[in-house]
Amino acid sequence: MTIQMYDLCGAEPDRRFSPFCWRVKFALAHKGLDFEALPWKFTEKDRIAQHGAKTVPVIVDGETEISDSWAIAEYLEETYGDRPALFPHGKGEVRFIKSWTESVVHMGLGPMMMYDIYRHVAPEDEAYFRESREARVGMKLEELHEGRDGRLKGFRVSLNPLRLTLDAQPWISGDAPAHADHIVMSAFMWARGVSDYRLLEEGDPIIDWRNRMLDLYDGLGRNAPGYD
Amino acid sequence: MTIQMYDLCGAEPDRRFSPFCWRVKFALAHKGLDFEALPWKFTEKDRIAQHGAKTVPVIVDGETEISDSWAIAEYLEETYGDRPALFPHGKGEVRFIKSWTESVVHMGLGPMMMYDIYRHVAPEDEAYFRESREARVGMKLEELHEGRDGRLKGFRVSLNPLRLTLDAQPWISGDAPAHADHIVMSAFMWARGVSDYRLLEEGDPIIDWRNRMLDLYDGLGRNAPGYD
């Protein structure tokens, strides 16, 4: 049975950029499960409220409705334990990598990508997106955008833990990719979906890993509309 | 048979502050192995050169001489596989946590602690320490020290991945402490050994974890000379 998933989209239904939704798509593909990623807009709260959710990602797997990307990964791991593991080494240390991704990578990317996201959301989502994000950052999206170049160097430095890890081993999870890789890559998918801004310097070892991640699962990432 | 370990000390032989040496002491204690941590000063290169090493930690386990804290942990895990695991969930994601600790926590703590370390090294190590560290940071230790308060806020923010992890689970490794916990805690042992500077704000959830880490292994950390 095909799992249905609500997946944030932009003005174009095929433009999917939510990092939390990407985690779930990578997880479903890793497990080799059939899924349909339904386009969903910020203002379509009713469509997910029927499944008891306030935010995406949401999956509907038969009778099961579940939201929150971490809870979904746990559910998939438990329910489909006979398929490739998302947490082949347990969840403990992956939780740290999730925490790092959200407090460092997302916090670094967010201000640099916010205006580009705004330019890609559906017309009916524009007002909601601008108001909620400007309230969060305390300035106009255009002002935030102007400061982008000044943030880039610090962002690149903040990726040192990732860089050092990939100097020592091919994947964040070790010898083979798993959910820790999905979580970090999903942040790069967020940026890729909306922006051609060059986040990584030429020669950065993260680029090679990012390319390998784009190619995984028959090019799930590579084939998604975005900027390369 | 008792494992011998060369462990950096200060002017007082019992003052041990090297974060890399702490990782090994925690690892040995976690495995329940008998060990003797021999005091060693920066200028005693000959004493470790006889074991083929240029830096501490070095362990001597019967015929085996081995240096580098990560290599030592791998050796202990392989050799004493029947004892509690340092990497119960594999090494992949722990490598990321090591990379984060070195590129974020050590890089943040180093400048704030450098002058305090200087004040604690043995008299014969002072010139070496000052010259090598001032060359590295490009300024006098005293100047570096004066800028300390200005670095504290950024350092605290940089610990967010740790804080978020400990909001969700009791140990970095998950339900029980393991080498990922040792690696991060050893950075705090570095600071504790030389400085009474208050790194963490009251109420920070990291404090509770730090206290539990100090109490592990019959208070290995707690009983070491340092500032609480």
Side-chain angles (χ1 to χ4, degrees), chain A residues 89-97 99-100 103-104 160-162 164-165 168-169 172-174 180, chain B residues 89-97 99-100 103-104 160-162 164-165 168-169 172-174 180:
Chain A
H89 316 130
K91 285 183 287 191
E93 291 88 350
V94 181
R95 171 78 75 169
F96 182 91
I97 293 168
S99 300
W100 177 78
S103 65
V104 176
N160 275 340
L162 177 59
L164 289 171
T165 302
Q169 59 194 33
I172 301 172
S173 301
Chain B
H89 317 129
K91 286 184 286 191
E93 290 87 351
V94 182
R95 171 77 76 170
F96 182 90
I97 293 168
S99 300
W100 176 77
S103 64
V104 176
N160 277 340
L162 177 59
L164 288 172
T165 301
Q169 59 193 34
I172 301 173
S173 301

Side-chain angles (χ1 to χ4, degrees), chain A residues 69-90:
Chain A
S69 62
W70 184 262
I72 293 171
E74 287 182 316
Y75 164 79
L76 294 175
E77 191 77 334
E78 212 165 286
T79 310
Y80 300 100
D82 54 330
R83 289 163 177 260
L86 293 168
F87 303 102
H89 316 130

Side-chain angles (χ1 to χ4, degrees), chain A:
Chain A
M1 195 179 44
T2 299
I3 295 174
Q4 293 203 304
M5 175 201 161
Y6 290 85
D7 188 14
L8 181 67
C9 71
E12 304 146 89
D14 280 351
R15 187 166 305 274
R16 312 292 174 93
F17 50 84
S18 157
F20 298 102
C21 290
W22 270 106
R23 293 182 190 179
V24 172
K25 285 179 282 185
F26 282 130
L28 288 163
H30 187 85
K31 288 275 181 200
L33 295 164
D34 283 332
F35 67 97
E36 186 181 8
L38 308 165
W40 174 89
K41 292 170 195 152
F42 284 113
T43 37
E44 298 180 306
K45 296 285 183 195
D46 289 354
R47 278 179 67 208
I48 57 173
Q50 63 169 322
H51 300 295
K54 287 179 178 168
T55 55
V56 292
V58 181
I59 65 165
V60 182
D61 184 15
E63 299 293 298
T64 305
E65 303 171 332
I66 186 162
S67 61
D68 179 86
S69 62
W70 184 262
I72 293 171
E74 287 182 316
Y75 164 79
L76 294 175
E77 191 77 334
E78 212 165 286
T79 310
Y80 300 100
D82 54 330
R83 289 163 177 260
L86 293 168
F87 303 102
H89 316 130
K91 285 183 287 191
E93 291 88 350
V94 181
R95 171 78 75 169
F96 182 91
I97 293 168
K98 170 191 190 296
S99 300
W100 177 78
T101 302
E102 293 168 12
S103 65
V104 176
V105 190
H106 287 196
M107 294 297 275
L109 277 177
M112 294 197 292
M113 294 296 125
M114 206 72 90
Y115 185 70
D116 283 330
I117 298 171
Y118 176 71
R119 293 192 305 110
H120 284 87
V121 299
E124 60 267 44
D125 281 355
E126 280 178 8
Y128 161 80
F129 187 82
R130 179 183 282 278
E131 281 161 31
S132 60
R133 269 47 177 183
E134 289 184 350
R136 195 185 290 175
V137 297
M139 65 177 91
K140 301 289 286 178
L141 293 181
E142 287 77 1
E143 276 175 76
L144 193 66
H145 189 65
E146 277 165 27
R148 175 155 80 169
D149 290 346
R151 296 173 188 271
L152 185 60
K153 196 179 161 195
F155 174 73
R156 287 176 174 171
V157 169
S158 81
L159 299 179
N160 275 340
L162 177 59
R163 209 166 272 132
L164 289 171
T165 302
L166 296 171
D167 274 346
Q169 59 194 33
W171 306 97
I172 301 172
S173 301
D175 296 332
H179 207 51
D181 293 272
H182 301 158
I183 289 171
V184 181
M185 183 61 190
S186 293
F188 287 97
M189 292 304 296
W190 187 27
R192 181 183 178 278
V194 296
S195 179
D196 62 356
Y197 193 58
R198 182 179 288 273
L199 291 169
L200 302 170
E201 227 167 350
E202 219 173 312
D204 191 324
I206 297 171
I207 293 174
D208 179 62
W209 166 81
R210 182 178 171 280
N211 281 331
R212 285 181 282 119
M213 288 299 300
L214 285 173
D215 291 334
L216 281 184
Y217 318 126
D218 299 322
L220 177 69
R222 179 83 67 195
N223 297 329
Y227 298 86
D228 272 321

Side-chain angles (χ1 to χ4, degrees), chain B residues 2 62 109 116 156 164 179:
Chain B
T2 299
L109 277 177
D116 283 329
R156 287 177 175 171
L164 288 172
H179 207 49

